Amino acid sequence: MAAAEGPGGDGGSPGAAGGNRQLKYISLAVLVVQNASLILSIRYVRTLPGDRFFATTAVVMAEVLKGATCLLLIFIQKQGNLKQFALFLYDSVVVQYVDTLKLAVPSLIYTLQNNLQYVAISNLPAATFQVTYQLKILTTAVFSVLMLRKSLSRLQWLSLVLLFAGVAIVQVEQQQAGSKSTPGSLEVQQSYLVGLVAVVVSCLSSGFAGVYFEKILKGSAASVWLRNVQLGIFGTLLGLLGLWSAEGAAVAQHGFFFGYTPLVWGVILNQAFGGLLVALVVKYADNILKGFATSFSIVVSTVASIYLFDFHLNLLFALGAGLVIGAVYLYSLPKGPLAGRPSPGTTGQQPGHTAQSKELPSIATQGFLTKMPPKEKGS
């Protein structure tokens, strides 16, 4: 990323340092707005009266828009040379088809994850979903240890315990709230169970797919944009297959864009371009700021849910959410004295290893992981 480290990129001049500081806070604000607005907007459009759009078509449209955007970025990288652009895609996607097929697995999981998010948010309060979905940090950490042989500091393990405890408290509170509902609320309780299962499965799929994709990126020199084009190919095809099997008859009867409103298009654009947006701003923000963004977005979602969805905040929910927010922040901290004493033979290598032990970016919740390979980070 040499372009981002031009003159003054090391913060040598006061003006450059001030500019970088401003970009960090702008990045923080953008991440908070993006994380919170996606959850709130999906919840809002799925609970509006009137014709309800098909979630499967929204997933397909998000994949198409992401793929088209990445193609445009590659075209710009080729300086608008259509021949070079076409030859590059043909060689990367068709000739090296074995490499392309590797993306079928995470693409399938991301497509499943995106559909599950719509199911979960349609059946859970936005604040509850936002808190519970932070379990993806736990699943990502577990799969990173199992698949990538990464090590976690003691502080990170402690944060994962706090995360699990916080989510458990929130779920207990929601179960108690459900048991105190009116007698006619059986359907709500059943919907809550469906939403809870959907969000847990989505967390598991997010963790596995994110780590799998990271492993592929590390073993290849291909750019993130190309990888997302390959993901988009399978994602669109698998999304269409899921659409046909789940809602094919209804879509054929009412039309692909049935129930689409400007708000629905806003949700799709947010989901499609959210990952690209974070990829562009995250280079100005560190992992601590990302942790702050995730934590603050939970607060924003909770406060907004009180006004938008008549969400009732009580002490038990606040305690659980507080534990989750603290856990997210602790997990994002760099390894330090609390991380435990490394062995003498590995002390010199610890900083470099630590950089790869962080949580995968939260944009994986959108099925669009844009974690840069280590080579590109160090360029």
Side-chain angles (χ1 to χ4, degrees):
M1 312 296 273
E5 300 173 0
D10 57 354
S13 65
N20 288 338
R21 191 177 300 111
Q22 285 184 346
L23 287 173
K24 281 188 176 184
Y25 289 115
I26 292 174
S27 300
L28 173 62
V30 171
L31 286 170
V32 170
V33 172
Q34 199 278 328
N35 285 339
S37 65
L38 180 65
I39 307 304
L40 292 171
S41 59
I42 292 178
R43 174 69 179 174
Y44 183 71
V45 298
R46 295 297 284 176
T47 55
L48 284 175
D51 296 331
R52 175 177 288 194
F53 68 98
F54 301 111
T56 51
T57 64
V59 171
V60 171
M61 284 305 304
E63 290 294 331
V64 171
L65 289 173
K66 286 186 293 189
T69 304
C70 289
L71 285 173
L72 178 61
L73 291 171
I74 295 174
F75 183 69
I76 293 174
Q77 287 179 345
K78 298 301 177 182
Q79 299 179 344
N81 190 314
L82 186 59
K83 183 178 180 180
Q84 288 186 8
F85 172 72
L87 289 175
F88 173 76
L89 289 180
Y90 177 77
D91 178 70
S92 302
V93 177
V94 180
V95 176
Q96 303 180 40
Y97 66 93
V98 175
D99 194 52
T100 302
L101 289 174
K102 293 179 181 178
L103 276 298
V105 174
S107 181
L108 172 63
I109 298 174
Y110 281 142
T111 303
L112 172 66
Q113 175 191 340
N114 287 338
N115 282 282
L116 286 173
Q117 281 188 15
Y118 278 98
V119 175
I121 299 174
S122 299
N123 291 282
L124 291 176
T128 303
F129 172 84
Q130 184 80 312
V131 172
T132 308
Y133 196 62
Q134 300 312 308
L135 281 175
K136 70 182 184 294
I137 301 175
L138 174 62
T139 59
T140 300
V142 171
F143 284 118
S144 295
V145 171
L146 295 177
M147 297 172 60
L148 301 179
R149 305 301 183 201
K150 289 184 177 180
S151 64
L152 299 179
S153 69
R154 294 177 186 176
L155 187 61
Q156 287 176 317
W157 282 117
L158 173 62
S159 70
L160 294 178
V161 173
L162 293 177
L163 173 69
F164 186 82
V167 171
I169 290 174
V170 168
Q171 294 306 320
V172 169
E173 186 275 332
Q174 289 295 298
Q175 290 284 3
Q176 291 178 353
S179 63
K180 296 177 182 178
S181 302
T182 58
S185 63
L186 178 60
E187 182 180 353
V188 175
Q189 293 182 17
Q190 291 176 338
S191 298
Y192 176 79
L193 179 60
V194 170
L196 180 60
V197 172
V199 74
V200 170
V201 176
S202 185
C203 287
L204 288 170
S205 63
S206 173
F208 178 79
V211 174
Y212 184 93
F213 190 48
E214 180 186 3
K215 192 172 184 179
I216 292 177
L217 284 177
K218 286 184 174 181
S220 171
S223 70
V224 173
W225 310 129
L226 174 62
R227 287 306 192 190
N228 280 294
V229 168
Q230 294 169 322
L231 276 174
I233 293 173
F234 290 110
T236 302
L237 295 176
L238 292 170
L240 288 171
L241 180 62
L243 183 156
W244 175 76
S245 62
E247 300 173 319
V251 172
Q253 178 182 359
H254 298 286
F256 187 91
F257 298 106
F258 175 77
Y260 275 49
T261 65
L263 286 175
V264 175
W265 278 110
V267 170
I268 295 173
L269 289 172
N270 193 346
Q271 189 173 34
F273 297 131
L276 284 174
L277 178 64
V278 175
L280 292 176
V281 302
V282 78
K283 64 181 178 181
Y284 298 113
D286 52 24
N287 279 286
I288 296 178
L289 279 181
K290 287 198 307 182
F292 270 119
T294 303
S295 302
F296 194 56
S297 67
I298 297 175
V299 177
V300 172
S301 298
T302 303
V303 174
S305 295
I306 295 174
Y307 293 98
L308 293 176
F309 309 116
D310 196 26
F311 180 77
H312 299 287
L313 180 65
N314 58 33
L315 182 60
L316 199 59
F317 183 92
L319 174 62
L323 286 175
V324 170
I325 291 171
V328 172
Y329 173 69
L330 288 177
Y331 189 87
S332 67
L333 288 175
K335 289 184 179 179
L338 294 177
R341 293 185 295 273
S343 60
T346 60
T347 302
Q349 298 176 356
Q350 191 69 13
H353 184 71
T354 302
Q356 296 302 324
S357 300
K358 299 287 187 272
E359 173 205 357
L360 294 178
S362 62
I363 47 182
T365 68
Q366 302 163 34
F368 189 67
L369 182 65
T370 54
K371 181 177 177 67
M372 302 297 291
K375 291 183 179 179
E376 294 188 22
K377 278 187 176 180
S379 63

